[in-house]
């Protein structure tokens, strides 16, 4: 039986999906009473970190299409936090739009299109930029594990 070779965009989406699956597993391990916990006054609270990761998909989608963030207005502005489930449901259409955008890039576009990150002005190839997006969420997953450890909460096993 012949198997179909995955495109670069399909592999990147698979990576994003796996990272998010593991993030959600971690987030679900956080009891509600700890949503506002943070390690120090300059850090994000646990729930702010979750929202930061979910909200990023909206901004990433603008950036990967070389859109402007000059008048950036996120759908999360002034949105109260209700629950993790509510956050995940609210974020789902933005996540799906982002993943659909990534799926539509050809291998050529991933290897030839340049993206300028608005935060630091660095120019990166689209494919490499997308991999850095996955790294961003992974770093926050590591931070979240540290939060759970500091709270003395059992950490969900994310390696299955």
């Amino acid at each position: 039986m012949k198997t179909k070779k995955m495109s670069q965009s399909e592999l990147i989406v698979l990576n994003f999906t796996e990272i998010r699956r593991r993030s959600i597993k971690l987030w679900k391990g956080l009891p509600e009473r700890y949503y506002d916990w943070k390690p120090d006054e300059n850090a994000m609270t646990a729930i702010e970190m979750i929202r930061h990761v979910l909200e990023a998909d909206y901004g990433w989608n603008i950036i990967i299409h070389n859109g402007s963030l000059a008048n950036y207005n996120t759908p999360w502005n002034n949105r109260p936090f209700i629950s993790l489930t509510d956050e995940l449901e609210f974020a789902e259409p933005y996540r799906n739009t982002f993943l659909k955008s990534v799926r539509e890039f050809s291998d050529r576009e991933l290897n030839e299109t340049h993206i300028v990150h608005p935060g630091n002005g660095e120019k990166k190839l689209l494919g490499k930029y997308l991999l850095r997006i996955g790294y961003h969420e992974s770093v926050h997953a590591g931070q979240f594990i540290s939060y759970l450890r500091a709270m003395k909460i059992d950490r969900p096993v994310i390696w299955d």
Side-chain angles (χ1 to χ4, degrees):
M1 183 177 187
K2 193 173 183 177
T3 57
K4 180 186 173 245
K5 182 180 173 186
M6 293 180 82
S7 68
Q8 291 176 37
S9 62
E10 289 170 324
L11 287 168
I12 291 169
V13 168
L14 178 63
N15 188 47
F16 285 159
T17 303
E18 267 304 291
I19 292 167
R20 182 59 53 89
R21 181 182 70 80
R22 293 164 196 262
S23 292
I24 291 171
K25 239 180 150 172
L26 286 173
W27 300 338
K28 286 183 174 180
L30 178 70
E32 286 187 34
R33 69 182 180 277
Y34 290 101
Y35 281 173
D36 293 322
W37 186 93
K38 58 184 179 176
D40 61 64
E41 67 278 351
N42 297 318
M44 287 186 269
T45 65
I47 204 59
E48 286 171 339
M49 187 185 305
I50 292 169
R51 182 172 277 189
H52 169 74
V53 168
L54 293 172
E55 186 176 26
D57 287 338
Y58 178 79
W60 299 135
N61 201 52
I62 294 169
I63 294 167
I64 65 174
H65 291 291
N66 283 308
S68 171
L69 294 182
N71 297 310
Y72 183 68
N73 189 16
T74 168
W76 279 261
N77 275 357
N78 301 314
R79 185 174 193 279
F81 178 76
I82 297 168
S83 68
L84 174 60
T85 300
D86 181 67
E87 287 291 303
L88 291 170
E89 288 173 1
F90 184 78
E92 187 174 5
Y94 303 104
R95 178 66 171 183
N96 290 340
T97 297
F98 172 64
L99 294 178
K100 181 179 182 289
S101 291
V102 174
R103 275 187 199 95
E104 291 174 353
F105 289 122
S106 68
D107 287 358
R108 183 177 179 176
E109 288 171 306
L110 292 170
N111 290 294
E112 294 179 6
T113 304
H114 284 90
I115 299 297
V116 176
H117 184 72
N120 59 21
E122 285 186 22
K123 191 176 185 179
K124 300 268 184 241
L125 285 172
L126 175 59
K128 289 182 179 184
Y129 189 81
L130 291 170
L131 293 174
R132 290 171 67 100
I133 289 171
Y135 182 70
H136 170 263
E137 183 167 339
S138 298
V139 167
H140 284 303
Q143 289 176 319
F144 203 84
I145 290 169
S146 295
Y147 276 31
L148 294 174
R149 181 184 297 274
M151 290 181 235
K152 301 195 180 337
I153 295 171
D154 288 337
R155 291 161 316 278
V157 176
I158 60 171
W159 302 113
D160 58 357

